[in-house]
Amino acid sequence: MRSERPSKGKIIVFGILFWYPLAGVTYQFLHYLLGLRRLGYDAYYIEDSWRWIYNPRINDLSPDATENIQQIAPILEAYGFKDRWGFRDYLGGECYGMTEAQILQLYQEADAFLNVTGDQEIREEHLACRRRIYVESDPVASQIRIAQDDQKLIAHLSAHDTHFSFGENLGAPDCGVPVGGFQWLPTRQPVVLDLWDSNFTPGIAYNTIATWNNKGKDITYQGKTYYWRKARELEKFLDLPKARPLPFEMATNVSEEERENVRSLLQKHGWSQVDAVELSQDMKNYRAYIQESRGEFTVAKEQYTRLLSGWFSDRSACYLAAGRPVITQETGFSKFLPTGKGLFAFNNMEDILAALDAIESDYKGNCQAAREIASEYFAAEKVIGSLMERAGL
């Protein structure tokens, strides 16, 4: 149910809900929309892009957004955003939800937009919005491209007046990411805690949800290549089930040509596997997978770890909110989040084993600590409230 009419002004959230209609992304943007509304803003969700959408049914890109609209629109409306969402196919000219006239009018009336993930291209009509806030969820590559004088990206970023990044360690002496050209303000993923309420009953397996092998996003800087592939890091720790007799599982998105080889590799090392795309097509199943886990064991992409960006996963934040301990690879985030109970940072196998032993020796205490970390550091009202205050909104 919607609360009393907000009084802090209209805020547009740009994003990729319809473009990539899987549960992890859906929750990511719901957290922003619900958090803004709870803070007293009149929040709208808009996608207004030229790009084709990703259709999970065919596991490929498509120019037809109909199926994605049918999947996501009822979710937005169920959470109280009826008449407050719009999808405009800029090339095809079709609009869903709000009409084109309503969307263009909203650009004139809105007090600000949050370009979350930065994937909304900025055109002349968007510049009518008085404040334009860039919220980067994947740091490192963009900062390197700026250092390499990528004029297209620089122009895109320059169309915004304030820039936030999940790279909380950007600009620190121990961070190897170049930060010239723009002022990057730290932020992190907001989480609406009551969406993740669960008990502390021990789950079956330590698991995670991930794409096995992203392609096309590795980047070279000053003669060194920095990789954007979780498989490179996961393969270093495949013997984990042999080192500790606990159940481990991966929900992975694997390409058709790699599927059998990856399944065989994981099974050989004692891991269970489920299909991440199938799991992520249903919000309830996705949430239950996290809530019913024993905890999360995951890795971070090398771009984050080698350069110590301070990035932290939005999915791991959901595990914490569900009261599930998280063991994740160090990216510099431990400078900003408490570790040692409920949340553990690792650099090597010894760190992982010590974390598992600590969790198993006091499982309920670690579950409670995980939830407390989520409440203190990721609660949507706190994270978004801080972002809006620093943006002058």
Side-chain angles (χ1 to χ4, degrees):
M1 294 291 292
R2 287 182 55 79
S3 58
E4 294 182 10
R5 183 169 178 77
S7 59
K8 289 187 177 181
K10 293 182 179 181
I11 305 295
I12 299 168
V13 175
F14 284 133
I16 56 172
L17 261 177
F18 296 110
W19 178 73
Y20 199 72
L22 297 181
V25 170
T26 304
Y27 278 114
Q28 182 179 29
F29 286 94
L30 273 180
H31 290 149
Y32 275 97
L33 291 166
L34 293 172
L36 283 165
R37 192 170 70 193
R38 291 181 181 189
L39 286 167
Y41 296 96
D42 195 359
Y44 290 76
Y45 181 80
I46 301 291
E47 275 181 56
D48 182 14
S49 183
W50 55 266
R51 60 180 177 265
W52 286 16
I53 54 85
Y54 168 75
N55 185 323
R57 182 180 56 79
I58 62 174
N59 197 27
D60 203 350
L61 297 177
S62 168
D64 183 2
T66 305
E67 291 182 45
N68 292 21
I69 300 294
Q70 291 172 345
Q71 180 176 343
I72 297 299
I75 297 171
L76 286 171
E77 295 181 0
Y79 281 96
F81 292 95
K82 183 177 175 60
D83 303 323
R84 282 175 166 75
W85 68 268
F87 178 95
R88 180 165 71 148
D89 178 353
Y90 183 67
L91 290 183
E94 292 183 277
C95 275
Y96 301 83
M98 296 171 66
T99 66
E100 182 175 56
Q102 289 172 326
I103 291 171
L104 295 176
Q105 183 66 29
L106 179 61
Y107 296 155
Q108 299 281 341
E109 296 175 351
D111 295 274
F113 68 63
L114 305 183
N115 193 356
V116 180
T117 71
D119 281 304
Q120 174 62 55
E121 68 272 17
I122 305 303
R123 300 188 299 275
E124 187 67 29
E125 59 263 44
H126 303 130
L127 299 179
C129 197
R130 290 186 287 276
R131 295 296 311 283
R132 301 182 291 276
I133 315 301
Y134 189 91
V135 183
E136 175 184 72
S137 57
D138 294 319
V140 179
S142 58
Q143 285 77 24
I144 289 175
R145 288 170 59 195
I146 294 165
Q148 295 171 337
D149 199 33
D150 184 326
Q151 287 299 311
K152 183 177 180 181
L153 176 60
I154 290 171
H156 178 59
L157 290 170
S158 297
H160 303 76
D161 57 65
T162 310
H163 304 82
F164 289 90
S165 177
F166 283 14
E168 294 198 59
N169 203 36
L170 295 180
D174 60 343
C175 179
V177 182
V179 291
F182 296 89
Q183 180 185 10
W184 294 98
L185 303 174
T187 189
R188 57 180 68 114
Q189 173 65 34
V191 177
V192 176
L193 295 174
D194 51 83
L195 293 182
W196 298 94
D197 288 339
S198 66
N199 57 45
F200 298 150
T201 303
I204 298 172
Y206 289 92
N207 60 32
T208 192
I209 306 166
T211 296
W212 177 257
N213 194 18
N214 292 95
K215 296 180 180 179
K217 290 190 175 183
D218 300 340
I219 194 164
T220 300
Y221 176 58
Q222 295 183 336
K224 298 178 181 178
T225 299
Y226 298 91
Y227 294 94
W228 182 267
R229 307 179 199 175
K230 282 211 167 183
R232 284 179 59 90
E233 301 304 310
L234 285 166
E235 287 171 351
K236 298 175 184 178
F237 307 106
L238 286 180
D239 285 333
L240 184 54
K242 297 179 181 178
R244 286 293 181 274
L246 296 163
F248 293 90
E249 182 172 271
M250 292 186 196
T252 53
N253 179 8
V254 184
S255 65
E256 191 67 37
E257 59 268 23
E258 294 180 297
R259 189 160 298 162
E260 288 307 315
N261 287 338
V262 172
R263 184 179 299 277
S264 176
L265 176 68
L266 291 174
Q267 289 179 346
K268 175 183 175 182
H269 288 272
W271 297 76
S272 301
Q273 184 193 18
V274 298
D275 185 279
V277 173
E278 182 177 342
L279 171 69
S280 299
Q281 289 187 61
D282 185 284
M283 287 185 67
K284 291 181 180 179
N285 289 344
Y286 178 93
R287 179 166 57 184
Y289 188 77
I290 291 174
Q291 291 172 318
E292 296 169 6
S293 70
R294 192 168 187 85
E296 184 184 35
F297 167 74
T298 191
V299 298
K301 300 179 182 76
E302 188 195 47
Q303 286 183 16
Y304 299 146
T305 60
R306 275 176 67 189
L307 294 171
L308 292 179
S309 67
W311 173 89
F312 192 82
S313 164
D314 60 284
R315 182 201 57 257
S316 294
C318 294
Y319 274 87
L320 293 173
R324 297 305 177 190
V326 170
I327 306 170
T328 186
Q329 204 164 3
E330 178 67 274
T331 67
F333 72 82
S334 63
K335 293 170 62 176
F336 310 97
L337 300 171
T339 59
K341 190 168 187 178
L343 173 61
F344 298 83
F346 73 85
N347 291 298
N348 51 48
M349 182 69 88
E350 289 71 24
D351 293 342
I352 299 169
L353 298 180
L356 287 167
D357 291 344
I359 293 170
E360 292 298 319
S361 67
D362 180 16
Y363 185 75
K364 185 174 182 180
N366 276 276
C367 288
Q368 291 172 332
R371 177 72 176 191
E372 289 167 3
I373 291 169
S375 178
E376 179 63 27
Y377 294 91
F378 292 95
E381 295 87 344
K382 294 180 180 180
V383 173
I384 299 173
S386 171
L387 183 152
M388 299 297 278
E389 181 179 358
R390 286 179 289 153
L393 293 164

